[in-house]
Amino acid sequence: MMTEGDWVFASYRGQKVTGFLLLMRESTVLVQATIPNDLGIIEVSTDRISWNNNAVICMDDLPELIDLSLDWKDKEWFEKWTHELSLCKRLTDQNVSMRSFNPI
């Protein structure tokens, strides 16, 4: 069962949208689109949405989520996504340095 705040996937005007559920109505839902983030709040028929209990946020998604947190002036989200980005960059930097290590 979907509840407000859940991450969802939607089909909207021919494109796949990732976002979170803002409001459930009888036959439609309001979704805050995060990817792509230029859609804002969209209204989608309930038969064109799927619940995403295990949403996976990729490193490529983080800059958009950081931008959204700034747009919404959401300090908690900003701190969460910038922290996640710093962890990803740290892992990426470690992988690069491990590849350049060449033991004799």
Side-chain angles (χ1 to χ4, degrees), residues 2-103:
M2 290 187 290
T3 59
E4 292 173 3
D6 284 346
W7 287 95
V8 294
F9 291 126
S11 176
Y12 181 74
R13 296 185 180 167
Q15 63 182 321
K16 181 180 174 185
V17 175
T18 302
F20 58 90
L21 190 61
L22 292 175
L23 179 67
M24 294 180 63
R25 297 180 175 154
E26 190 171 316
S27 61
T28 62
V29 295
L30 292 181
V31 174
Q32 174 63 60
T34 57
I35 302 169
N37 71 351
D38 61 337
L39 294 177
I41 298 172
I42 59 174
E43 185 171 11
V44 183
S45 173
T46 54
D47 64 345
R48 302 189 65 65
I49 196 157
S50 64
W51 180 45
N52 184 15
N53 191 27
N54 297 312
V56 175
I57 304 296
C58 300
M59 184 175 169
D60 293 343
D61 300 332
L62 294 175
E64 285 188 50
L65 292 169
I66 291 167
D67 287 345
L68 280 173
S69 68
L70 290 170
D71 291 344
W72 298 334
K73 298 175 178 47
D74 189 323
K75 182 179 178 181
E76 184 179 326
W77 257 42
F78 177 78
E79 290 172 350
K80 173 184 173 122
W81 298 127
T82 54
H83 176 72
E84 291 293 325
L85 184 60
S86 71
L87 293 176
C88 289
K89 285 186 175 186
R90 197 174 313 150
L91 287 173
T92 302
D93 292 345
Q94 286 175 353
N95 287 339
V96 169
S97 67
M98 290 299 287
R99 276 188 249 138
S100 63
F101 177 71
N102 189 6

